Amino acid sequence: MPPTTTPPKPLLIAGNWKMYGRMADLAELDALAAAVGGVRAEVDVVLCPPFTMTAAAAGRAKGGRIAIGVQDVAAIGADGAHTGDVSAAMAADAGARFAIVGHSERRAAHGETDAVVAAKATAAAAAGLVPIVCVGETLEQRKAGEAAAVVAAQVAGSCPAAGVVLAYEPVWAIGTGLTPTAAEIAEIHAEARRAFAAKFPGAAVRILYGGSVKPGNAAEILAIDGVDGALVGGASLKAKDFAAIVLAG
Ligand code: PEP
């Protein structure tokens, strides 16, 4: 069955710095801003540095083409006695506009379930942030022919409402230099879109691809049917590489 909703535009290219970045690296943000300043208006550019840099990055990016996001938020919306957690409201207060939730590194290292990811997406949306909900199969699941079913189940379980952005990130492609074929990406994006449409009939959703997106493969990946942008890890750390990916869109 074909997808039931038309992919909305514009493209969204998001960078995830993970646990890298010092204040001196704001120079990369400045360089990125200079490089993508003239990019066509149909491309949204988001950069997600660590929490320690959120406010400074947002201040630096203000009024330009780059929106700042965070890489996670607490599942709890209200302030409270939650040592070490950062709420979505705090992230928004610091100037963030997007929040990655459910990244596979957090699902694996912190035991985050679909229910936890959905709670985080709810908290992010309530604070006015756009949740970028990550889904994706492991290599074992792909080898077992379960990729489409795993992703469909994660989409159903991790998306609490329409209004999110989805990121399909095969776990085995993250940071490995490996990527699925164009046909495999198109197949899973169509499956994710079907699962989303089944839960939220008529709602459009942007679906990003993530996993070893580089300047050398970005144009090909962004041209795949159903790919509405990219979530970029390693290659977002250097302004030159990330700008090349943005400009490939
Ligand atoms: C990621 O961490 O979301 C990611 C896609 O990483 P990389 O681009 O380095 O594979």
Coordinates of all heavy atoms in Angstrom, one line a residue, residues 59-133:
G59 N 22.2 32.2 21.3 CA 22.5 33.6 21.2 C 23.2 33.9 20.0 O 22.9 34.9 19.3
R60 N 24.2 33.1 19.7 CA 25.1 33.3 18.5 C 24.3 33.1 17.2 O 24.5 33.8 16.2 CB 26.1 32.3 18.6 CG 27.5 32.6 18.1 CD 28.4 33.4 18.9 NE 29.7 33.2 18.4 CZ 30.7 32.8 19.1 NH1 30.6 32.8 20.5 NH2 31.9 32.6 18.6
A61 N 23.3 32.2 17.2 CA 22.6 31.9 16.0 C 21.3 32.8 15.8 O 20.7 32.7 14.7 CB 22.1 30.4 16.0
K62 N 21.0 33.5 16.8 CA 19.8 34.4 16.7 C 19.7 35.2 15.4 O 20.6 35.8 15.0 CB 19.8 35.3 17.9 CG 18.4 35.8 18.3 CD 18.4 36.5 19.6 CE 17.0 37.0 19.9 NZ 16.9 37.5 21.2
G63 N 18.5 35.1 14.8 CA 18.2 35.9 13.6 C 18.8 35.4 12.4 O 18.6 35.9 11.3
G64 N 19.5 34.2 12.5 CA 20.1 33.6 11.3 C 19.3 32.4 10.8 O 18.2 32.2 11.2
R65 N 20.0 31.6 9.9 CA 19.3 30.5 9.3 C 19.4 29.2 10.1 O 18.8 28.2 9.8 CB 20.0 30.2 7.9 CG 19.7 31.2 6.8 CD 18.2 31.2 6.6 NE 17.6 29.9 6.4 CZ 17.6 29.2 5.3 NH1 18.1 29.6 4.3 NH2 17.1 28.0 5.3
I66 N 20.1 29.2 11.2 CA 20.3 28.0 12.0 C 19.5 28.0 13.3 O 19.6 29.0 14.1 CB 21.8 27.8 12.3 CG1 22.6 27.8 11.1 CG2 22.0 26.5 13.1 CD1 24.1 27.9 11.3
A67 N 18.7 27.0 13.5 CA 18.0 26.9 14.8 C 18.7 25.9 15.7 O 19.4 25.0 15.2 CB 16.6 26.3 14.5
I68 N 18.7 26.2 16.9 CA 19.4 25.3 17.9 C 18.5 24.3 18.5 O 17.3 24.6 18.9 CB 20.1 26.2 19.0 CG1 21.1 27.2 18.3 CG2 20.8 25.4 20.0 CD1 22.2 26.5 17.5
G69 N 19.0 23.1 18.7 CA 18.2 22.1 19.4 C 19.0 21.4 20.5 O 20.2 21.7 20.6
V70 N 18.3 20.6 21.3 CA 19.0 19.8 22.3 C 19.0 18.3 21.9 O 18.2 18.0 21.0 CB 18.4 20.1 23.7 CG1 18.8 21.5 24.2 CG2 16.9 19.9 23.7
Q71 N 19.8 17.5 22.6 CA 19.9 16.1 22.2 C 19.0 15.2 23.0 O 19.0 14.0 22.8 CB 21.4 15.7 22.3 CG 22.3 16.5 21.5 CD 23.8 16.2 21.9 OE1 24.1 15.2 22.5 NE2 24.6 17.1 21.5
D72 N 18.3 15.8 24.0 CA 17.5 15.0 24.9 C 16.7 16.0 25.8 O 17.1 17.1 25.8 CB 18.4 14.1 25.8 CG 17.5 13.1 26.6 OD1 16.5 12.6 26.1 OD2 17.9 12.9 27.8
V73 N 15.7 15.5 26.4 CA 15.0 16.3 27.5 C 14.5 15.3 28.5 O 14.4 14.1 28.2 CB 13.8 17.2 27.0 CG1 14.3 18.3 26.1 CG2 12.8 16.3 26.3
A74 N 14.2 15.8 29.7 CA 13.7 14.9 30.7 C 12.2 14.5 30.3 O 11.6 15.3 29.6 CB 13.6 15.7 32.0
A75 N 11.8 13.3 30.7 CA 10.5 12.9 30.4 C 9.4 13.6 31.3 O 8.3 13.6 31.0 CB 10.4 11.4 30.7
I76 N 9.9 14.2 32.4 CA 9.0 15.0 33.3 C 9.0 16.4 32.9 O 10.0 17.0 32.6 CB 9.6 14.9 34.7 CG1 9.8 13.4 35.1 CG2 8.7 15.6 35.7 CD1 11.0 13.2 35.9
G77 N 7.8 16.9 32.7 CA 7.6 18.3 32.3 C 7.9 19.3 33.4 O 8.5 20.4 33.1
A78 N 7.4 19.0 34.6 CA 7.4 20.1 35.6 C 8.8 20.1 36.3 O 9.5 19.1 36.3 CB 6.4 19.7 36.7
D79 N 9.1 21.3 36.8 CA 10.3 21.4 37.6 C 10.2 20.5 38.9 O 9.1 20.2 39.3 CB 10.5 22.9 38.2 CG 10.7 23.9 37.0 OD1 10.8 23.5 35.9 OD2 10.8 25.1 37.4
G80 N 11.3 20.1 39.4 CA 11.2 19.3 40.6 C 12.6 18.8 41.0 O 13.6 19.2 40.5
A81 N 12.6 17.8 42.0 CA 13.8 17.3 42.5 C 14.3 16.1 41.6 O 14.1 14.9 41.9 CB 13.5 16.8 43.9
H82 N 14.9 16.5 40.5 CA 15.3 15.5 39.5 C 16.8 15.8 39.2 O 17.1 16.4 38.1 CB 14.5 15.5 38.3 CG 13.0 15.4 38.6 ND1 12.5 14.2 39.1 CD2 12.0 16.2 38.5 CE1 11.2 14.3 39.3 NE2 10.9 15.6 38.9
T83 N 17.7 15.4 40.1 CA 19.1 15.8 40.0 C 19.7 15.4 38.6 O 19.6 14.2 38.2 CB 19.9 15.2 41.1 OG1 19.3 15.6 42.4 CG2 21.3 15.6 41.1
G84 N 20.3 16.3 38.0 CA 21.0 16.0 36.7 C 20.1 16.1 35.5 O 20.6 16.1 34.4
D85 N 18.8 16.2 35.6 CA 17.9 16.2 34.5 C 17.8 17.7 34.0 O 17.9 18.6 34.7 CB 16.6 15.7 34.8 CG 16.6 14.1 34.9 OD1 17.5 13.5 34.3 OD2 15.6 13.6 35.5
V86 N 17.5 17.8 32.7 CA 17.2 19.1 32.1 C 15.8 19.0 31.4 O 15.6 18.1 30.6 CB 18.3 19.5 31.0 CG1 17.9 20.8 30.3 CG2 19.7 19.5 31.7
S87 N 14.9 19.9 31.9 CA 13.6 19.8 31.3 C 13.5 20.5 30.0 O 14.3 21.3 29.6 CB 12.6 20.5 32.3 OG 12.7 21.9 32.2
A88 N 12.5 20.2 29.2 CA 12.2 20.8 27.9 C 12.0 22.3 28.1 O 12.4 23.1 27.3 CB 11.0 20.1 27.3
A89 N 11.3 22.7 29.2 CA 11.1 24.1 29.4 C 12.4 24.8 29.6 O 12.6 26.0 29.2 CB 10.2 24.3 30.6
M90 N 13.4 24.2 30.3 CA 14.7 24.8 30.5 C 15.4 24.9 29.2 O 16.0 25.9 28.9 CB 15.5 23.9 31.5 CG 15.1 24.0 32.9 SD 15.9 22.7 33.8 CE 15.2 22.9 35.4
A91 N 15.3 23.9 28.3 CA 15.9 23.9 27.0 C 15.3 25.1 26.2 O 16.1 25.8 25.5 CB 15.8 22.6 26.3
A92 N 14.0 25.2 26.2 CA 13.3 26.3 25.5 C 13.8 27.6 26.0 O 14.0 28.6 25.3 CB 11.8 26.1 25.6
D93 N 13.9 27.7 27.3 CA 14.3 29.0 28.0 C 15.7 29.4 27.5 O 16.0 30.6 27.4 CB 14.2 28.8 29.5 CG 14.6 30.1 30.2 OD1 14.0 31.1 30.0 OD2 15.5 30.0 31.1
A94 N 16.5 28.4 27.3 CA 17.9 28.6 26.8 C 18.0 29.0 25.3 O 19.1 29.3 24.8 CB 18.8 27.4 27.2
G95 N 16.9 28.8 24.6 CA 16.8 29.2 23.2 C 16.7 28.1 22.3 O 16.7 28.3 21.0
A96 N 16.5 26.9 22.8 CA 16.4 25.7 21.8 C 15.0 25.7 21.2 O 14.0 26.2 21.8 CB 16.6 24.4 22.6
R97 N 14.9 25.2 20.0 CA 13.6 25.1 19.3 C 13.3 23.7 18.9 O 12.2 23.4 18.5 CB 13.6 26.0 18.1 CG 13.6 27.5 18.5 CD 13.7 28.5 17.3 NE 12.9 28.1 16.2 CZ 13.2 28.4 14.9 NH1 14.3 29.0 14.7 NH2 12.5 28.0 14.0
F98 N 14.3 22.8 19.0 CA 14.1 21.4 18.6 C 14.7 20.5 19.7 O 15.5 21.0 20.5 CB 14.8 21.0 17.3 CG 14.2 21.6 16.1 CD1 14.4 23.0 15.7 CD2 13.4 20.9 15.2 CE1 13.8 23.5 14.6 CE2 12.8 21.4 14.1 CZ 13.0 22.8 13.8
A99 N 14.2 19.3 19.8 CA 14.8 18.3 20.8 C 14.8 16.9 20.2 O 13.8 16.4 19.8 CB 13.9 18.3 22.1
I100 N 16.0 16.4 20.1 CA 16.1 15.0 19.6 C 15.7 14.1 20.8 O 16.1 14.4 22.0 CB 17.6 14.7 19.3 CG1 18.1 15.5 18.1 CG2 17.8 13.2 19.0 CD1 19.6 15.4 17.9
V101 N 14.8 13.1 20.6 CA 14.5 12.2 21.6 C 14.5 10.8 21.0 O 14.3 10.6 19.9 CB 13.1 12.4 22.2 CG1 13.0 13.7 23.0 CG2 12.0 12.4 21.1
G102 N 14.9 9.8 21.9 CA 14.9 8.4 21.5 C 16.1 8.0 20.6 O 16.0 7.0 19.8
H103 N 17.2 8.8 20.6 CA 18.4 8.4 19.8 C 18.8 7.0 20.3 O 18.7 6.7 21.5 CB 19.5 9.4 20.1 CG 20.6 9.3 19.1 ND1 21.6 8.2 19.2 CD2 21.0 9.9 18.0 CE1 22.4 8.3 18.2 NE2 22.1 9.3 17.5
S104 N 19.3 6.2 19.3 CA 19.6 4.8 19.7 C 20.6 4.7 20.8 O 20.7 3.7 21.5 CB 20.0 4.1 18.4 OG 21.2 4.6 17.9
E105 N 21.5 5.7 20.8 CA 22.6 5.7 21.9 C 21.9 5.8 23.3 O 22.4 5.2 24.2 CB 23.6 6.8 21.6 CG 24.5 6.4 20.4 CD 25.2 7.6 19.8 OE1 25.1 8.7 20.3 OE2 25.8 7.4 18.7
R106 N 20.8 6.6 23.4 CA 20.1 6.7 24.6 C 19.2 5.5 24.9 O 19.1 5.0 26.0 CB 19.3 8.0 24.7 CG 20.1 9.3 24.7 CD 19.4 10.4 25.3 NE 19.1 10.2 26.7 CZ 19.9 10.4 27.7 NH1 21.1 10.8 27.5 NH2 19.5 10.1 28.9
R107 N 18.6 5.0 23.8 CA 17.8 3.7 24.0 C 18.7 2.6 24.5 O 18.3 1.9 25.4 CB 17.2 3.3 22.7 CG 16.0 4.3 22.2 CD 15.5 3.8 20.9 NE 14.5 4.6 20.3 CZ 13.1 4.4 20.3 NH1 12.6 3.4 21.0 NH2 12.3 5.3 19.7
A108 N 19.9 2.5 24.0 CA 20.8 1.4 24.3 C 21.5 1.7 25.7 O 21.5 0.8 26.6 CB 21.9 1.2 23.3
A109 N 22.1 2.9 25.9 CA 22.9 3.1 27.1 C 22.0 3.5 28.3 O 22.5 3.3 29.4 CB 23.9 4.2 26.8
H110 N 20.8 4.0 28.1 CA 20.0 4.4 29.2 C 18.7 3.6 29.3 O 17.8 4.0 30.0 CB 19.7 5.9 29.1 CG 20.9 6.8 29.2 ND1 21.5 7.2 30.3 CD2 21.8 7.2 28.2 CE1 22.6 7.9 30.1 NE2 22.8 7.9 28.8
G111 N 18.5 2.6 28.5 CA 17.4 1.7 28.6 C 16.1 2.5 28.2 O 15.0 2.1 28.8
E112 N 16.1 3.5 27.4 CA 14.9 4.2 27.1 C 14.0 3.4 26.2 O 14.3 3.0 25.1 CB 15.3 5.6 26.4 CG 16.0 6.5 27.4 CD 16.2 7.9 26.8 OE1 15.7 8.2 25.7 OE2 16.8 8.7 27.5
T113 N 12.8 3.2 26.7 CA 11.8 2.4 25.9 C 11.0 3.4 25.1 O 11.1 4.6 25.2 CB 10.8 1.8 26.9 OG1 10.2 2.8 27.7 CG2 11.5 0.8 27.9
D114 N 10.1 2.8 24.2 CA 9.2 3.7 23.4 C 8.4 4.5 24.3 O 8.1 5.7 24.0 CB 8.3 2.8 22.5 CG 9.1 2.1 21.3 OD1 10.2 2.6 21.0 OD2 8.6 1.2 20.8
A115 N 7.9 4.0 25.4 CA 7.0 4.8 26.3 C 7.8 6.0 26.9 O 7.3 7.1 27.0 CB 6.5 3.9 27.4
V116 N 9.1 5.8 27.2 CA 9.9 6.9 27.8 C 10.1 7.9 26.7 O 10.0 9.1 26.9 CB 11.2 6.4 28.3 CG1 12.2 7.5 28.6 CG2 11.0 5.5 29.6
V117 N 10.4 7.4 25.5 CA 10.6 8.4 24.3 C 9.4 9.2 24.1 O 9.4 10.4 23.8 CB 11.1 7.6 23.1 CG1 11.2 8.5 21.9 CG2 12.4 6.8 23.4
A118 N 8.2 8.5 24.1 CA 7.0 9.2 23.9 C 6.7 10.3 25.0 O 6.3 11.4 24.7 CB 5.8 8.2 23.8
A119 N 7.1 10.0 26.2 CA 6.9 10.9 27.3 C 7.8 12.1 27.1 O 7.5 13.3 27.3 CB 7.2 10.3 28.6
K120 N 9.1 11.9 26.6 CA 10.0 13.0 26.3 C 9.5 13.8 25.2 O 9.6 15.0 25.2 CB 11.4 12.4 26.0 CG 12.0 11.8 27.2 CD 13.5 11.3 27.0 CE 14.1 10.9 28.3 NZ 15.5 10.9 28.3
A121 N 9.0 13.2 24.1 CA 8.4 13.9 23.0 C 7.2 14.8 23.5 O 7.1 16.0 23.0 CB 8.0 13.0 21.9
T122 N 6.4 14.3 24.3 CA 5.3 15.0 24.9 C 5.8 16.2 25.7 O 5.3 17.4 25.5 CB 4.4 14.1 25.8 OG1 3.9 13.0 25.0 CG2 3.3 14.9 26.4
A123 N 6.8 16.0 26.5 CA 7.4 17.1 27.3 C 8.0 18.2 26.4 O 7.8 19.4 26.6 CB 8.4 16.5 28.3
A124 N 8.7 17.7 25.4 CA 9.3 18.7 24.4 C 8.2 19.5 23.8 O 8.3 20.8 23.7 CB 10.1 17.9 23.4
A125 N 7.2 18.9 23.2 CA 6.1 19.6 22.5 C 5.4 20.6 23.4 O 5.1 21.7 23.1 CB 5.2 18.6 21.9
A126 N 5.2 20.1 24.7 CA 4.5 21.0 25.6 C 5.3 22.3 25.9 O 4.7 23.3 26.2 CB 4.2 20.2 26.9
A127 N 6.6 22.2 25.8 CA 7.5 23.4 26.0 C 7.7 24.2 24.8 O 8.4 25.1 24.8 CB 8.8 22.9 26.6
G128 N 7.0 23.7 23.7 CA 7.1 24.5 22.4 C 8.3 24.1 21.5 O 8.6 24.7 20.6
L129 N 8.9 22.9 21.9 CA 10.0 22.4 21.1 C 9.5 21.4 20.1 O 8.5 20.8 20.3 CB 11.1 21.7 21.9 CG 11.7 22.5 23.1 CD1 12.6 21.6 23.9 CD2 12.4 23.7 22.6
V130 N 10.1 21.3 18.9 CA 9.7 20.3 17.9 C 10.5 19.1 18.2 O 11.8 19.1 18.2 CB 10.0 20.8 16.5 CG1 9.7 19.7 15.5 CG2 9.3 22.0 16.1
P131 N 9.8 18.0 18.6 CA 10.6 16.7 18.9 C 11.1 16.1 17.6 O 10.3 16.0 16.6 CB 9.5 15.8 19.6 CG 8.4 16.7 19.9 CD 8.4 17.8 18.9
I132 N 12.3 15.6 17.6 CA 12.8 14.8 16.5 C 12.9 13.4 17.1 O 13.8 13.1 17.9 CB 14.2 15.3 16.0 CG1 14.1 16.8 15.5 CG2 14.8 14.4 14.9 CD1 15.5 17.4 15.1
V133 N 12.0 12.5 16.7 CA 11.9 11.2 17.3 C 12.7 10.2 16.5 O 12.4 10.0 15.3 CB 10.4 10.8 17.4 CG1 10.3 9.4 18.0 CG2 9.6 11.8 18.2

